[in-house]
Amino acid sequence: MIEMQTLGVRNAQPKFSLLIDDSQTLTYFELLKCAAPLALIDVKTLSTSHYQQFKNVFVTQTKAVSEPQFEEIASLVDFIPGATTSQIIVALGTISKKNALGGIVALMAYTMPGAIILIILGYFYSKYPDPRDLNILVFLAIQGIKSSTVALILQLLISMATKSINNKMHIMLSVLSAALFVAYQQPYVLILTMMMGGIITIMVEYDAENTIGRRTFVKEQSATPAIVNDPKLINKKNSHKISQLLGNKSLHLYSLILLLLLYLNSKYQSLILDISLSFYNIGTFMIGGTPITLPFMYAETVLNPLYINADAFWLGFGLAAALPGPYLNFAIFLGTHSMGIYGGICCWVAIFLPSILQIWGLLPHWSNLRKNIYLSKFKEGVISVAIGFLATAVYYGWVEACKYDLSTATVISFLSLVYVSLLNFNSPAVLTLGAALFIIRYLALWYYRELDPVIF
């Protein structure tokens, strides 16, 4: 690890670099071998155990990333908007390969297996606008998957609420945001509500006597590490660092892409441009992790009849939970179902791109952000609001799951919650059991009780 010198400061505590040091540089093939198996992790929530999986691969086994670097990356992705696991893999890939392309390669290895399966399933499922046209067993399995999906989302909600709801203010924000989502189901209302939740939390919870808070906007006296003056970093072959230069370029590129999408969307009437802009904005405001995207996606797609129906929406989320890779692969299913393969790829790229640019753009500035109490309070308020939105999404998911059979869907949802919360079943097992139970229920009615249940 290279000890960075500070400008004009003697005897300063050595700082490690989030940039490229003398750790091992992986080849692209080695990077693929490291990143691809991580997609098999059941990412119901990004808990310590999942962090440990990433750390074991990149820090312990390959030694491509130092432990201080990993801890800084993990703390940053918990703080900034974006898909947490995807941002971690991008940062680890960038540092391991010592160039930005390494981050892209690692992300592709992590997301592509599940995305390919989802784009195929989305394409074929789009051929059946009415799911009742499917084979009866397939139709029943889909209803079981949707019922179990409700339990997975509820488990995410419980996990987030347990971790983030700490006082009466947070409870009030969650309840009010849930009511607003029911009354005003518009994406811009959700964004404004999240921003207001953050501002209210700062205003109410900030303690005027907290002297630490008063110093948060004051820059530390120690200067920025003299990275560019270190010959080891300048002359190192194929070296690349997550520097302020890359960070600024990433933030500028993010703004440029947003402006371009806004311009093209206003100039041309295109469904693909419209939904790509929507998904790009969803990726931007993903504060608190991937589950937060669910109510935003619901408002953007299901509530817009041009995009997708509720049946395909909840099925797609369940399939994404059961397949390798992050939940955000869900976007490629939605895009493919509504606009074909090209639309699916556009939606998939649009929702991941902000996360990539945010981790590159903000990582060099993390030392100035992490101690800012205002930003921390703002995030607490935003997450409290988002939990209210997610609670409403759970309700909408349950209503859709009970569309054909209220009692069976409710029982399967409850059993699935027991499986995932108390028995620690992983997502694929829970969804498979849900599909099997729904099929068994109706086979029993038909063949053993000789009843003809009305499900269509």
Side-chain angles (χ1 to χ4, degrees), residues 350-398:
I351 203 166
F352 274 105
L353 194 54
S355 294
I356 299 172
L357 298 177
Q358 284 165 359
I359 189 66
W360 281 342
L362 296 178
L363 192 54
H365 307 286
W366 177 225
S367 60
N368 296 326
L369 295 174
R370 64 184 307 169
K371 297 179 181 179
N372 193 311
I373 193 172
Y374 296 107
L375 292 179
S376 298
K377 290 296 182 184
F378 181 83
K379 184 187 175 185
E380 289 179 10
V382 168
I383 292 180
S384 299
V385 170
I387 288 173
F389 293 156
L390 191 58
T392 308
V394 171
Y395 169 74
Y396 286 136
W398 175 76

Side-chain angles (χ1 to χ4, degrees), residues 88-363:
I88 286 180
I89 204 71
V90 168
L92 294 176
T94 302
I95 294 177
S96 299
K97 190 64 187 76
K98 299 182 173 48
N99 59 46
L101 183 58
I104 302 298
V105 170
L107 181 65
M108 296 294 285
Y110 179 64
T111 57
M112 282 295 290
I116 292 173
I117 299 173
L118 283 170
I119 200 171
I120 294 172
L121 294 175
Y123 177 77
F124 283 106
Y125 192 64
S126 66
K127 304 300 180 182
Y128 298 91
D130 189 342
R132 291 173 292 185
D133 295 333
L134 292 162
N135 176 276
I136 181 61
L137 293 180
V138 175
F139 174 78
L140 293 173
I142 289 174
Q143 305 315 307
I145 289 173
K146 291 195 302 181
S147 302
S148 295
T149 299
V150 175
L152 293 181
I153 303 170
L154 183 57
Q155 191 270 342
L156 286 168
L157 172 64
I158 294 172
S159 177
M160 290 184 62
T162 303
K163 180 180 177 181
S164 304
I165 302 296
N166 300 318
N167 53 47
K168 293 181 180 180
M169 170 61 65
H170 295 163
I171 296 174
M172 182 190 72
L173 288 174
S174 297
V175 172
L176 290 177
S177 63
L180 279 173
F181 189 18
V182 173
Y184 304 99
Q185 298 174 337
Q186 297 296 328
Y188 70 88
V189 174
L190 304 187
I191 295 174
L192 289 177
T193 306
M194 290 176 71
M195 299 300 105
M196 287 302 301
I199 294 172
I200 291 172
T201 303
I202 293 176
M203 294 173 62
V204 173
E205 294 190 356
Y206 176 67
D207 184 358
E209 297 179 358
N210 188 343
T211 55
I212 298 177
R214 296 179 184 276
R215 294 197 300 266
T216 52
F217 288 123
V218 180
K219 191 173 182 180
E220 294 181 357
Q221 297 300 318
S222 57
T224 304
I227 296 167
V228 296
N229 293 331
D230 191 331
K232 292 184 179 180
L233 292 177
I234 293 176
N235 300 325
K236 191 175 181 67
K237 184 179 180 180
N238 297 327
S239 68
H240 178 84
K241 46 189 179 291
I242 304 181
S243 61
Q244 289 193 0
L245 178 61
L246 175 61
N248 294 336
K249 285 184 176 181
S250 299
L251 295 177
H252 293 158
L253 181 60
Y254 165 79
S255 302
L256 180 62
I257 293 173
L258 177 60
L259 293 174
L260 181 62
L261 285 173
L262 289 170
Y263 171 75
L264 293 175
N265 196 51
S266 63
K267 189 173 180 62
Y268 303 102
Q269 297 298 322
S270 171
L271 192 62
I272 290 181
L273 285 174
D274 189 22
I275 197 171
S276 295
L277 176 61
S278 298
F279 276 49
Y280 192 80
N281 289 331
I282 291 171
T284 298
F285 292 99
M286 200 189 311
I287 302 175
T290 305
I292 304 305
T293 62
L294 192 63
F296 281 94
M297 285 188 178
Y298 186 86
E300 286 284 4
T301 57
V302 177
L303 301 181
N304 188 332
L306 296 176
Y307 290 156
I308 198 169
N309 57 53
D311 188 86
F313 181 88
W314 298 111
L315 173 62
F317 185 84
L319 292 173
L323 292 170
Y327 282 147
L328 275 192
N329 278 340
F330 172 41
I332 203 169
F333 180 90
L334 297 182
T336 304
H337 182 272
S338 59
M339 295 173 294
I341 294 176
Y342 180 68
I345 294 173
C346 288
C347 291
W348 187 65
V349 172
I351 203 166
F352 274 105
L353 194 54
S355 294
I356 299 172
L357 298 177
Q358 284 165 359
I359 189 66
W360 281 342
L362 296 178
L363 192 54

